[in-house]
Amino acid sequence: MIRTSLVDGATGAAKRAQFPAGFQQLFTSSSDMAKEGTEIAEETDQMMDLKEPENPVSPVIDPKEMRAVVLTGFGGLNKLKVTKKPMPEPQEGEVKIRVKACGLNFLDLMVRQGNIDNAPKTPLVPGFECSGIVENMGEKTQGFEIGDRVMAFVNYNAWAEVVCTPFDLVYKIPDDMTFPEAAAFSMNFVAAYMMLFEVANLQEGMSVLVHSAGGGVGQAVAQLCSTVPNVTVFGTASPFKHEAIKHSVTHLFDRNLDYVPEVKKISPEGVDIVLDCLCGENTGKGLTLLKPMGTYILYGSSNMVTGETKSFFSFAKSWWQVEKVNPIKLYEENKVIAGFSLLNLLFKQGGCSRVKTAVQKLLSLYDQKKIKPLVDSLWALEEVKEAMQRIHDRGNIGKLILDVEKSPTPLMANDSTETSEAGEEEEEQEGDIDNKERMPFIQ
Amino acid sequence: MIRTSLVDGATGAAKRAQFPAGFQQLFTSSSDMAKEGTEIAEETDQMMDLKEPENPVSPVIDPKEMRAVVLTGFGGLNKLKVTKKPMPEPQEGEVKIRVKACGLNFLDLMVRQGNIDNAPKTPLVPGFECSGIVENMGEKTQGFEIGDRVMAFVNYNAWAEVVCTPFDLVYKIPDDMTFPEAAAFSMNFVAAYMMLFEVANLQEGMSVLVHSAGGGVGQAVAQLCSTVPNVTVFGTASPFKHEAIKHSVTHLFDRNLDYVPEVKKISPEGVDIVLDCLCGENTGKGLTLLKPMGTYILYGSSNMVTGETKSFFSFAKSWWQVEKVNPIKLYEENKVIAGFSLLNLLFKQGGCSRVKTAVQKLLSLYDQKKIKPLVDSLWALEEVKEAMQRIHDRGNIGKLILDVEKSPTPLMANDSTETSEAGEEEEEQEGDIDNKERMPFIQ
């Protein structure tokens, strides 16, 4: 059911950053992408005829409407539709963006399931980050002009042709940063940066353990660690990803094995920083692995598919089963435990200016060619289900991107199911990469 | 029972750092100290005749013996004696130091009570830090010569005329740093520095809450915060200290009041860093007061007399009653909780090189006249009981120092008890500053 995925078309840019051979294989030329883009398919009754827009800023489609991915209710993939929605207009302090690319994060799967605190009501348009071109500004915005190439955080609604979001969540991007790169950049790199350099205090010679080393955050962490001399990165990932990412981390472990003894074999005293996703037993393991003065960070704002979590059900369960920590133990052991949620920081806790500072530092590193977002694959809005399946199955290496202008790839000849039927049937098909377990949807 | 305390004699040095008027009052001239030093008293049968040493490196007293404070068993002040002990000689990797001054920390009171994990057996010589002159070196030491002026960490045994300690716990001190300053420097400033800059990540414009702002750590924290632009320091202290320390912190609160609403009145969004001692209810309060991305640090390596703790008994009780913390809550709120124990880092966790780096940075700040240890008072070894009473009563502003060459101050005319009787009777006299509560000794 997983189709051949496209990869970031920014071939030239791929060579800029000095990545090892493993990375280069992940990029193909942009012409491949263009070829795919010429084909248009009608797949479901919710999907519309697509015309190649003549001008990205002024689409020929009805200016009062736009396409968007809509989650009609919490549950399985069948709750996702692409529909027309009224064109949003910027309110005071907002920037209107013609979206080119959107980031897909693990969190979006949790949203789909309703597995988040204070879930908004459905129907809703998912998505927390995008890149595109400024099309208009509301009153009392500053720093932007029509036509600016930008990336932005959005509190939902990113997966659409047009979004409006507060101007202090919008950042201009460098000329040589592609839109898919920009959409892959914001959430993953900001989260990785703030965890490594603000929550923890990454210094020369330290060691970092990161799960899902092949995912968007994992790769951002690996790249940011490489900007500090002599940092050792321990990573866990599915074995099939090891070849592709082995050059980005110092030591790679099979995510299906217990990493604690493996790490201790190499570094008996443990590691300085553990970046952990939201899974119960990993908290204890992570704390065990910490050196004195080490920092354990539980994070969840990014695309991560972690540890023992083989289904959403067990994921949600493990979330709440995290053991509580005795501060006295932290005192005795000189340890630090932290939580990091970029979305809460941005949308609930007024952290915009702090995030902006991090974005500026990251863009400077990008300009210095020290970091470069790794895009796994590009998907049309209509392919959001397949994209979600891919991230669920931990098939991705780097970031999954919804390319708003991309047309859906036609079904492959050997596909036995029509996408139009997938809405109801996918629940049976969505499962772990090895098909050992199906995802128990919450309907 | 509390005698007039002496204060740091380093008048010239006191003016070097640009402290406000409140601080200057705390210093008197070194001639005052000298006057006191000429008087010799025989107070207890454990105390010996003292002769003014002709040469600090080569005392005239029997070279095979030395004076030391000995804790004969866990319990009250009566367990402390000054006795002669065999002269220690440096083992491989050790430096032998002729001690000039020792730091007295709140932790020493806990040791006396046996209120620490893995307490060593008595009799023991207490004390974890001292300053003095290198008298000899064992094999395989490097970096020191006889006659070097140094400060050092010691794993017990600091309160003596001579100590031997591993060379990587010994640091040369600047020529213009007095021995009392050096003994006041090591533990408090290293703890404050590592908490502010390594565990937390103090940056321009941040805010810090510190308890016992008048104590050794509190004053070190205040000074280190002043090295970063635009840092707001909230401090709690007994009202009688406010006049003396008001210029060192931005906002001072009465330690007997609830500081949470007071802080929130001034800074509704909370503070970036909370430095807390080891008391139960303050953990919850501290976490409540944290801004998103803020860091709460539970620390206990230094002289702190905190919060609601009015007796050792309630202190020990509150230590264990600290609420456990749910990491998920940290995730949702973007908060960091940490523990810091300098002694564990040094003596159990191999943190010597890390501490050395911190000491070097601190000495550089000292050389730049940006920080200066604040000495509350100097006490003879024989006065250790009164010194302990003073720190217990929260009478100190800055650090209490045992001055090894100082002779005990004679009892004051209106003292109704002989010090020689204090051994048994002090338990009744040792209590809170306001005498509302006596210290319930564990015998």
Side-chain angles (χ1 to χ4, degrees):
Chain A
M1 188 62 199
I2 301 293
R3 305 177 189 185
T4 309
S5 64
L6 294 178
V7 290
D8 182 8
T11 317
K15 289 177 187 156
R16 298 179 327 138
Q18 299 299 306
F19 290 114
F23 278 87
Q24 305 287 0
Q25 300 163 7
L26 301 170
F27 298 87
T28 59
S29 76
S30 54
S31 60
D32 293 346
M33 195 173 75
K35 265 184 273 169
E36 300 276 359
T38 56
E39 296 173 286
I40 298 170
E42 285 182 36
E43 296 198 342
T44 76
D45 52 0
Q46 290 85 18
M47 294 179 186
M48 300 144 289
D49 276 352
L50 292 176
K51 292 180 185 172
E52 197 70 23
E54 289 169 4
N55 179 331
V57 180
S58 310
V60 292
I61 300 172
D62 184 354
K64 292 183 182 166
E65 287 189 334
M66 63 153 192
R67 287 158 60 235
V69 174
V70 172
L71 182 69
T72 57
F74 298 116
L77 292 176
N78 62 325
K79 305 293 185 185
L80 292 163
K81 320 282 179 194
V82 175
T83 62
K84 285 189 177 177
K85 299 260 295 176
M87 178 64 67
E89 293 304 333
Q91 305 298 302
E92 184 177 299
E94 286 188 344
V95 172
K96 179 181 178 182
I97 300 168
R98 175 67 51 175
V99 178
K100 297 294 179 181
C102 317
L104 199 152
N105 295 293
F106 194 82
L107 189 64
D108 297 313
L109 280 73
M110 296 181 64
V111 167
R112 197 193 74 211
Q113 294 285 335
N115 274 340
I116 52 163
D117 270 352
N118 304 314
K121 286 185 180 169
T122 54
L124 61 83
V125 176
F128 298 105
E129 61 181 340
C130 65
S131 60
I133 294 174
V134 171
E135 193 165 282
N136 204 354
M137 289 88 68
E139 289 183 11
K140 299 189 182 172
T141 54
Q142 44 185 299
F144 295 98
E145 292 179 9
I146 292 171
D148 279 346
R149 300 173 77 246
V150 295
M151 61 186 176
F153 290 108
V154 199
N155 196 7
Y156 295 96
N157 295 311
W159 294 354
E161 286 180 318
V162 177
V163 303
C164 294
T165 195
F167 76 94
D168 52 3
L169 298 176
V170 184
Y171 319 92
K172 287 183 195 170
I173 59 173
D175 293 342
D176 60 346
M177 182 182 268
T178 66
F179 288 117
E181 275 184 331
F185 190 80
S186 36
M187 205 173 254
N188 291 172
F189 274 86
V190 169
Y193 182 90
M194 295 187 85
M195 288 195 290
L196 290 173
F197 297 105
E198 301 196 12
V199 181
N201 206 341
L202 181 63
Q203 302 282 326
E204 183 171 348
M206 284 187 175
S207 53
V208 177
L209 169 67
V210 62
H211 298 298
S212 298
V217 171
Q219 284 296 303
V221 165
Q223 290 186 27
L224 286 170
C225 285
S226 75
T227 67
V228 177
N230 198 24
V231 169
T232 302
V233 181
F234 296 90
T236 69
S238 300
F240 80 92
K241 297 184 186 179
H242 285 204
E243 184 60 28
I245 65 171
K246 69 182 181 187
H247 297 290
S248 64
V249 299
T250 324
H251 303 286
L252 253 182
F253 308 117
D254 182 345
R255 60 168 289 278
N256 301 307
L257 302 180
D258 183 3
Y259 51 87
V260 174
E262 300 297 320
V263 172
K264 288 208 165 168
K265 251 185 247 170
I266 297 164
S267 179
E269 73 277 25
V271 297
D272 292 294
I273 299 171
V274 172
L275 303 177
D276 189 20
C277 54
L278 300 162
C279 291
E281 74 177 53
N282 287 298
T283 302
K285 284 185 178 182
L287 282 169
T288 302
L289 274 177
L290 277 191
K291 282 184 189 173
M293 299 291 284
T295 303
Y296 167 93
I297 308 177
L298 193 66
Y299 70 99
S301 64
S302 312
N303 70 321
M304 54 200 165
V305 189
T306 57
E308 78 284 8
T309 304
K310 289 193 175 157
S311 71
F312 277 98
F313 185 72
S314 66
F315 183 95
K317 198 173 150 203
S318 64
W319 173 294
W320 297 112
Q321 283 181 343
V322 173
E323 268 181 52
K324 287 186 178 180
V325 175
N326 187 343
I328 300 297
K329 196 173 161 65
L330 299 177
Y331 165 78
E332 286 168 354
E333 298 185 355
N334 275 307
K335 290 181 177 176
V336 182
I337 181 167
F340 183 76
S341 161
L342 180 56
L343 293 183
N344 282 359
L345 185 65
L346 279 169
F347 301 125
K348 290 185 183 172
Q349 297 160 357
C352 293
S353 66
R354 192 151 187 160
V355 170
K356 188 166 204 153
T357 305
V359 170
Q360 285 162 347
K361 288 178 181 166
L362 284 163
L363 288 178
S364 165
L365 288 172
Y366 180 86
D367 284 340
Q368 296 166 52
K369 306 192 191 321
K370 290 185 173 172
I371 58 173
K372 178 175 166 49
L374 182 65
V375 175
D376 172 75
S377 47
L378 302 178
W379 305 78
L381 290 185
E382 291 77 6
E383 294 168 336
V384 66
K385 298 172 188 177
E386 288 87 342
M388 277 203 165
Q389 181 70 59
R390 182 168 172 81
I391 199 171
H392 173 268
D393 292 345
R394 301 189 181 82
N396 59 306
I397 297 175
K399 185 90 169 194
L400 287 104
I401 296 294
L402 297 179
D403 179 353
V404 177
E405 293 175 359
K406 179 181 178 295
S407 300
T409 308
L411 289 177
M412 290 166 73
N414 61 352
D415 269 348
S416 59
T417 55
E418 295 287 320
T419 308
S420 59
E421 297 171 9
E424 299 308 316
E425 290 181 14
E426 255 163 352
E427 297 171 30
E428 297 306 311
Q429 290 153 9
E430 198 175 34
D432 218 2
I433 187 74
D434 55 7
N435 281 322
K436 284 182 183 161
E437 188 174 6
R438 301 291 177 187
M439 189 161 63
F441 288 130
I442 300 168
Q443 292 293 347
Chain B
M1 189 61 199
I2 301 293
R3 304 176 190 183
T4 309
S5 65
L6 294 178
V7 291
D8 182 7
T11 317
K15 289 177 185 157
R16 298 179 327 137
Q18 298 299 305
F19 291 114
F23 277 88
Q24 304 288 358
Q25 300 164 8
L26 301 170
F27 298 86
T28 60
S29 77
S30 55
S31 60
D32 294 346
M33 197 173 74
K35 265 184 273 171
E36 301 275 358
T38 57
E39 298 173 286
I40 298 171
E42 286 182 36
E43 295 198 343
T44 75
D45 52 2
Q46 289 87 17
M47 295 178 186
M48 300 144 289
D49 276 351
L50 292 176
K51 291 179 186 172
E52 198 70 23
E54 289 168 5
N55 179 332
V57 180
S58 310
V60 293
I61 300 171
D62 182 355
K64 292 183 181 165
E65 288 189 334
M66 63 153 191
R67 289 157 59 236
V69 175
V70 173
L71 182 70
T72 58
F74 298 116
L77 292 176
N78 62 326
K79 304 294 185 184
L80 291 163
K81 320 282 180 195
V82 176
T83 62
K84 285 190 176 175
K85 299 260 295 176
M87 178 64 68
E89 293 303 333
Q91 306 298 302
E92 184 177 300
E94 286 187 345
V95 172
K96 179 181 178 183
I97 300 167
R98 174 67 52 174
V99 178
K100 298 294 180 181
C102 317
L104 198 153
N105 295 293
F106 193 82
L107 189 64
D108 297 312
L109 279 74
M110 296 182 64
V111 168
R112 198 194 73 213
Q113 294 285 336
N115 273 340
I116 52 164
D117 270 352
N118 305 313
K121 286 185 180 169
T122 54
L124 61 83
V125 176
F128 298 105
E129 60 181 341
C130 64
S131 60
I133 294 175
V134 172
E135 195 166 280
N136 204 354
M137 289 90 66
E139 289 184 10
K140 299 190 181 171
T141 54
Q142 45 185 299
F144 296 98
E145 291 180 8
I146 293 171
D148 279 346
R149 302 173 76 244
V150 295
M151 60 186 178
F153 291 108
V154 199
N155 196 8
Y156 296 95
N157 296 311
W159 294 355
E161 287 180 319
V162 177
V163 304
C164 294
T165 195
F167 76 94
D168 53 4
L169 298 176
V170 184
Y171 319 93
K172 287 182 196 170
I173 59 173
D175 293 341
D176 60 346
M177 183 182 267
T178 67
F179 289 117
E181 275 184 331
F185 191 80
S186 36
M187 204 174 255
N188 291 171
F189 274 86
V190 169
Y193 182 89
M194 295 187 84
M195 289 195 289
L196 289 173
F197 297 106
E198 300 196 12
V199 180
N201 205 341
L202 181 64
Q203 300 283 326
E204 183 172 348
M206 284 186 174
S207 52
V208 178
L209 168 68
V210 62
H211 298 297
S212 298
V217 171
Q219 284 296 302
V221 165
Q223 289 186 29
L224 286 169
C225 285
S226 75
T227 68
V228 178
N230 197 24
V231 169
T232 302
V233 181
F234 296 90
T236 69
S238 300
F240 81 91
K241 298 185 186 178
H242 285 204
E243 184 60 27
I245 65 171
K246 68 182 181 187
H247 297 289
S248 64
V249 300
T250 323
H251 303 286
L252 253 183
F253 308 117
D254 182 346
R255 61 167 290 277
N256 301 306
L257 302 180
D258 183 3
Y259 51 87
V260 174
E262 301 298 319
V263 173
K264 288 209 164 168
K265 251 184 246 168
I266 297 163
S267 179
E269 73 278 25
V271 297
D272 292 293
I273 300 172
V274 173
L275 302 177
D276 189 19
C277 53
L278 300 162
C279 291
E281 73 176 53
N282 287 298
T283 301
K285 283 184 178 183
L287 282 169
T288 302
L289 274 177
L290 276 191
K291 282 184 189 174
M293 300 290 284
T295 303
Y296 166 94
I297 308 177
L298 194 66
Y299 70 100
S301 63
S302 313
N303 70 321
M304 54 200 164
V305 189
T306 57
E308 77 283 8
T309 304
K310 288 193 176 157
S311 71
F312 277 99
F313 185 74
S314 66
F315 182 95
K317 197 173 150 205
S318 64
W319 172 294
W320 297 112
Q321 283 181 342
V322 172
E323 269 181 52
K324 287 187 178 179
V325 176
N326 187 344
I328 299 296
K329 196 172 160 68
L330 299 177
Y331 165 78
E332 287 168 354
E333 298 185 355
N334 275 306
K335 290 181 177 176
V336 183
I337 181 167
F340 183 76
S341 161
L342 180 55
L343 293 183
N344 283 0
L345 185 65
L346 278 169
F347 301 125
K348 291 185 184 173
Q349 297 160 359
C352 293
S353 66
R354 193 153 187 160
V355 170
K356 187 166 204 153
T357 305
V359 170
Q360 285 161 347
K361 288 179 181 167
L362 284 164
L363 289 178
S364 166
L365 289 172
Y366 180 86
D367 285 340
Q368 296 167 51
K369 305 191 190 322
K370 289 186 174 172
I371 57 173
K372 178 176 167 48
L374 181 64
V375 175
D376 172 74
S377 47
L378 302 178
W379 305 78
L381 291 186
E382 291 77 6
E383 294 168 335
V384 66
K385 298 172 190 177
E386 289 88 339
M388 277 203 165
Q389 181 70 60
R390 181 168 172 81
I391 199 171
H392 173 268
D393 291 345
R394 300 189 182 84
N396 60 305
I397 297 174
K399 185 91 170 193
L400 287 104
I401 296 294
L402 297 179
D403 179 353
V404 176
E405 294 175 358
K406 179 181 178 296
S407 299
T409 308
L411 289 176
M412 291 166 73
N414 61 353
D415 268 349
S416 60
T417 55
E418 295 288 318
T419 308
S420 59
E421 298 171 8
E424 298 309 315
E425 291 181 13
E426 255 163 349
E427 298 171 27
E428 297 306 311
Q429 290 152 9
E430 198 175 34
D432 217 3
I433 188 73
D434 55 7
N435 280 322
K436 284 183 183 161
E437 188 174 6
R438 300 290 177 189
M439 189 160 64
F441 288 131
I442 299 167
Q443 292 293 345

